Amino acid sequence: MEISKNFQHNEAEQKWYAHWKKAGYFTSTPDDRPAYTITMPPPNVTGVLHMGHALNNSVQDILIRRAKMTGFNTLWVPGTDHASIATEAKVVAMLREKGIDKKTLSRDEFLKYAWEWKEKYGGIILKQLEKMGCSLDWDRTAFTMDEGYYAAVMRVFVELHEKGLVYRGVKMINWDPKAKTALSDEEVNYKQTNSKLYYVRYKIDSDTDEYITIATVRPETILGDTAVCVHPDDERYAHLAGKYCFVPLINRRIPIIFDDYIDKEFGTGALKVTPAHDINDYNLGLKHNLEVIDTLNDDGTMSEAAQLYVGQDRFAVRKAIVKDLDAAGNMVKEEEYSNQVGYSERTDVVIEPRLSMQWWCKMSDLALPALDAVMNDEISFHPAKFKNTYRHWMANIKDWCISRQLWWGQRIPAWYDKEGTVYVATTADGAHDKYRAAKPDLAAQHPVLRQDEDVLDTWFSSWLWPMEVFDWNKNPGNANLAYYYPTSTLVTAPEIIFFWVARMVMAGYEFLGQKPFDKVYFTGIVRDKQGRKMSKQLGNSPDLLQLIEDHGADAVRFSVMISSPAGNDLLFDESQLEQGSFFCNKMWNALKLIKGWESRVGEVDDTNILFAIEWMEARMAATAAEVEELMKDFRLSEGLKTIYSLIWNDFCSWYLEWVKPGMEQPVSQHVYNKTVSIFEQLMQLLHPYMPFITEEIYHLLRERTDGDDIIVKQLQPYAAADTQTLNDGQMLQELITAVRDCRNKSKLKPKETIKLAILTGNQHFYNRVLYILSRQVNAELIGFTTESIAGAISLVVQTDKLFVTAEAGGIDTNEQKEQMLKDIAYLQGFLVSIDKKLGNERFMANAKAEVIEAEKKKQSDALARIKTLEESIAQLG
């Protein structure tokens, strides 16, 4: 089979993904193997693949592929979230382009357009995940608005309502004027904003010309003021007890009230009270029985109740009212002011606090078992630092606003009769049955009930994701749910720890009495090399599909994983893509080199290079054990770096150089077979990270039977690596490096040979590696000596001395001496740090015995090397 000059990633990706799918490697059914299950965090149907998806899904695919190769029955469930706010916004924008206003459509007409949009665009992101190589069980693709899923959400709402955990009530909520819906507290992002603090004076209702001055950052809300509040201990305002003042511009007469809620030091110590537009003002209003005047429409324009600026946008009014207050003599001054302003997580517009009748979910009871599960490590968080974030939120949890003023989503299963009584049931028929039973006479006269117009928060459906993808609602005891649930690992971002992670844990315990997953791995945020979060607005988010097209999925996966320490943010630089591409080229060139030996296999004595095979196998065993431990701790980036070093350095740079035959020379069958086997095992270790090139190389190394694919080939168990062989390999590398460095400094040409005399107490080691060493340094003769060689270059490697002589080239003993002095200075500094550690009573009392022994060995090794170096310097004269 002819091997192309370079790895053709586009061809390989299409070929192998189609092969894996056709072979059924992504599909899973329960069997007698242990299950390893991940349910993908469902991306929004509006989504397209970006760098955050590349990181999150690469991590999930790595975990699934490695589990598949270690004896697990793996299942990775794909799906999408209906994303009420984002999708409705997309559909409204699409209709606007067609000249259609949503207001002119009925609910059913709008939903028809929404479903058409979903069918056309909603699956794009899932198709794009195929380009990444994601090994998802596509037969199980779920959607949070599927019929069965919808029914599960209805059931949950009704059950929680019957338990008193879902209720309806008027509260201050976060209002999104762009999406025109309520938001939960978790859907509000607070940003530090440069604002202005306006000082405005209110005329006191008296015969005098007295005013009281307040400070506000939102002068447009003045039109909804129903009181001014001061602290009862503030002597500046004590004389105003029982007095009234007038709201500027509209002259509404409002009371001056006293409450110790007020901060005397902020502004003037006097606070305007607007109960309809601030939660704290609302609470003051309840306490003091104040009128509530809502001056804003649902789109952020001023309402009729404002009296002025009716129909104008709130921020335009802010500018206008400042001018009018100044003209009326009520504006005292302006100051620069920095404050936290809430923005909608979905639309990025400033939210408005607003009193509203909404549906709520009582959270305190649901939170208790979910908090205990994480604090007691029944569910383990990686990194564990996120336990504190989780605990703080769960311990201070507030009721969840679950209704949204939208049409796209699960419609709230509540119906109202003519008198306003509510009937909650999973279906309209169920609600009517309750109605007829409760009010038979009214039902006979007015048989039709009106369903609630609102839909449920998207998260109220996605909190059921790990169980409902296995048909929990319809078949609660089914084999899939019993086998795959609880799932193994959730991979997600810390910013949705409250939106989604905590709520899934609550739902799991509430409805199944079980945790939804064993472990949660939190990825970091993908940032650019300047540390900025990637976003469309900044224009710093590369086109992921184009990166895959240009560099290949393997290089892209490599680039996001190589610099992604567990739980920390990833600083992405496109130069990392080059590193991934170079790595692919390195492996491809190794493949071509090895396949080039195939025609040169013959009868040849290979005993003199068997050490190379022993060492490489020991390095693989040691690395496999190291990677196993790293994977357990979700240190995937470190795992990739370890495998990368094993392949690039140990295999390509050392092993292949040690075993490759000379020009047109034969290679033994044993060495060839072993080299192919080692390369196969290296590809297995790397496969979860870079699936396409590893499968391609695996198949090119030798002929394969059907089903012999690396994706399902089980990782072999390794015996413990032989420490002596590893140390000998390290010594050989140091010897080769030292002699090559000496050759370069002595300006010897590559073809010019040298002679080596070695002063050592370990001839057995050299007898094992003599042939490899002589070839690597081009030595025509290597012997042993018991004394220094006059006129030779003296080298020190560990505690051995090497004497190098050459027919050609000069010998600069001064340079050799200078280098040795530098080495001694370094070792002496190293010894100081070791001596400090061993002289530290706390360290000696608390450190494990093996740690102390290791430090003592470092000390003795350094002392021995210093002694050897000093002897060598003395011999140089």
Side-chain angles (χ1 to χ4, degrees), residues 458-529:
T458 298
W459 300 104
F460 196 83
S461 58
S462 53
W463 73 331
L464 307 178
W465 185 252
M467 49 202 229
E468 187 48 36
V469 295
F470 300 119
D471 207 17
W472 156 76
N473 177 48
K474 190 175 179 182
N475 299 299
N478 75 80
N480 278 290
L481 188 64
Y483 182 71
Y484 295 113
Y485 188 98
T487 62
S488 304
T489 307
L490 172 70
V491 180
T492 190
E495 57 258 40
I496 58 173
I497 192 171
F498 312 130
F499 286 123
W500 195 43
V501 179
R503 290 170 180 163
M504 280 191 291
V505 179
M506 293 182 211
Y509 283 106
E510 178 67 18
F511 299 108
L512 272 174
Q514 283 183 283
K515 60 185 177 182
F517 26 72
D518 297 325
K519 303 175 189 297
V520 183
Y521 172 73
F522 293 102
T523 62
I525 296 169
V526 182
R527 300 184 181 276
D528 64 17
K529 57 186 177 183

Side-chain angles (χ1 to χ4, degrees), residues 116-397:
E116 286 176 1
W117 187 94
K118 185 265 174 188
E119 293 307 316
K120 185 174 182 181
Y121 299 107
I124 289 176
I125 193 164
L126 296 182
K127 283 291 181 188
Q128 291 173 338
L129 286 170
E130 294 190 7
K131 297 281 189 184
M132 286 285 299
C134 295
S135 49
L136 291 147
D137 187 344
W138 297 109
D139 295 338
R140 293 178 180 268
T141 303
F143 176 51
T144 54
M145 284 270 280
D146 286 339
E147 185 179 348
Y149 206 117
Y150 197 112
V153 177
M154 297 299 99
R155 169 188 165 180
V156 165
F157 182 93
V158 172
E159 284 189 12
L160 292 177
H161 183 264
E162 289 172 351
K163 292 177 181 178
L165 296 177
V166 160
Y167 63 94
R168 193 166 179 254
V170 175
K171 292 188 183 184
M172 184 70 71
I173 52 94
N174 306 295
W175 185 259
D176 182 332
K178 185 174 181 181
K180 298 181 185 177
T181 182
L183 303 175
S184 68
D185 289 345
E186 292 71 42
E187 291 170 297
V188 178
N189 295 328
Y190 285 91
K191 303 179 185 179
Q192 197 67 31
T193 306
N194 293 323
S195 306
K196 286 188 182 295
L197 189 62
Y198 300 95
Y199 289 77
V200 182
R201 63 180 192 165
Y202 290 47
K203 176 78 170 62
I204 302 294
D205 184 8
S206 68
D207 296 334
T208 65
D209 193 26
E210 186 178 5
Y211 290 82
I212 185 169
T213 300
I214 60 91
T216 180
V217 293
R218 303 177 66 207
E220 69 278 10
T221 63
I222 282 174
L223 305 175
D225 288 355
T226 55
V228 168
C229 189
V230 296
H231 197 282
D233 297 334
D234 195 330
E235 294 181 0
R236 292 173 296 177
Y237 304 115
H239 68 288
L240 296 178
K243 298 281 188 179
Y244 289 78
C245 61
F246 294 100
V247 176
L249 303 183
I250 57 174
N251 289 323
R252 180 186 301 123
R253 187 172 178 266
I254 58 175
I256 297 171
I257 62 175
F258 290 75
D259 198 289
D260 56 12
Y261 160 75
I262 300 301
D263 178 2
K264 291 189 292 183
E265 305 305 317
F266 176 77
T268 63
L271 174 80
K272 62 185 282 304
V273 183
T274 319
H277 299 294
D278 182 275
I279 183 62
N280 297 311
D281 289 13
Y282 174 66
N283 291 330
L284 274 174
L286 288 177
K287 185 175 178 181
H288 294 275
N289 197 28
L290 299 176
E291 184 183 3
V292 177
I293 301 173
D294 187 351
T295 59
L296 285 174
N297 294 316
D298 62 4
D299 62 355
T301 59
M302 305 306 287
S303 69
E304 293 286 344
Q307 301 182 45
L308 302 176
Y309 318 107
V310 176
Q312 295 182 43
D313 180 77
R314 55 189 167 149
F315 294 118
V317 171
R318 180 174 297 180
K319 294 178 180 178
I321 200 171
V322 166
K323 292 180 180 178
D324 291 345
L325 287 168
D326 191 43
N330 293 97
M331 184 62 68
V332 178
K333 63 177 179 177
E334 299 176 14
E335 289 179 353
E336 297 298 323
Y337 184 68
S338 180
N339 62 326
Q340 292 276 331
V341 176
Y343 287 78
S344 167
E345 190 260 342
R346 287 293 178 203
T347 62
D348 202 37
V349 301
V350 175
I351 60 103
E352 287 290 342
R354 192 179 191 196
L355 272 179
S356 182
M357 173 68 80
Q358 300 287 341
W359 285 92
W360 303 82
C361 184
K362 188 177 180 182
M363 302 298 281
S364 54
D365 293 344
L366 293 172
L368 288 175
L371 176 57
D372 289 344
V374 172
M375 290 300 103
N376 297 333
D377 289 324
E378 184 179 351
I379 299 171
S380 59
F381 278 10
H382 302 268
K385 66 181 181 181
F386 289 110
K387 284 174 67 175
N388 290 330
T389 308
Y390 181 87
R391 178 185 53 77
H392 178 75
W393 185 74
M394 294 289 271
N396 298 281
I397 199 163

Side-chain angles (χ1 to χ4, degrees), residues 603-623:
E603 292 294 326
V604 60
D605 180 15
D606 58 16
T607 54
N608 50 14
I609 58 171
L610 292 183
F611 171 77
I613 295 172
E614 293 172 18
W615 171 77
M616 190 64 216
E617 289 179 333
R619 282 293 299 125
M620 286 198 300
T623 302

Side-chain angles (χ1 to χ4, degrees), residues 650-799:
D650 296 327
F651 182 67
C652 294
S653 299
W654 291 112
Y655 172 79
L656 290 179
E657 291 299 314
W658 291 352
V659 301
K660 75 178 180 183
M663 187 71 70
E664 299 182 1
Q665 295 298 306
V667 62
S668 77
Q669 187 72 59
H670 175 69
V671 170
Y672 179 74
N673 290 343
K674 277 289 189 180
T675 301
V676 168
S677 176
I678 288 168
F679 205 180
E680 288 173 343
Q681 292 170 58
L682 293 172
M683 293 302 94
Q684 274 189 281
L685 270 178
L686 181 63
H687 175 75
Y689 292 93
M690 302 176 76
F692 294 110
I693 191 168
T694 52
E695 190 77 82
E696 182 78 357
I697 288 174
Y698 181 75
H699 280 265
L700 289 173
L701 280 170
R702 60 175 119 204
E703 290 293 322
R704 304 287 173 190
T705 57
D706 287 346
D708 183 6
D709 296 310
I710 202 169
I711 185 176
V712 289
K713 189 175 178 66
Q714 298 300 287
L715 287 165
Q716 67 178 55
Y718 288 93
D722 180 67
T723 304
Q724 189 58 54
T725 300
L726 292 173
N727 291 340
D728 287 351
Q730 177 66 30
M731 179 65 173
L732 178 56
Q733 290 176 14
E734 290 181 25
L735 287 165
I736 294 167
T737 302
V739 177
R740 283 177 175 172
D741 186 51
C742 171
R743 289 180 61 99
N744 290 334
K745 288 178 178 176
S746 299
K747 297 181 173 58
L748 290 175
K749 295 176 182 177
K751 290 183 178 181
E752 292 171 344
T753 61
I754 60 170
K755 294 177 183 176
L756 269 181
I758 303 170
L759 180 56
T760 181
N762 186 11
Q763 287 192 25
H764 173 70
F765 158 72
Y766 285 95
N767 291 333
R768 295 179 72 198
V769 303
L770 216 56
Y771 177 74
I772 297 173
L773 177 60
S774 65
R775 287 182 65 208
Q776 294 294 295
V777 300
N778 197 13
E780 62 177 305
L781 178 67
I782 298 180
F784 298 99
T785 183
T786 57
E787 58 186 15
S788 301
I789 307 296
I793 302 174
S794 178
L795 304 176
V796 178
V797 178
Q798 294 187 16
T799 57

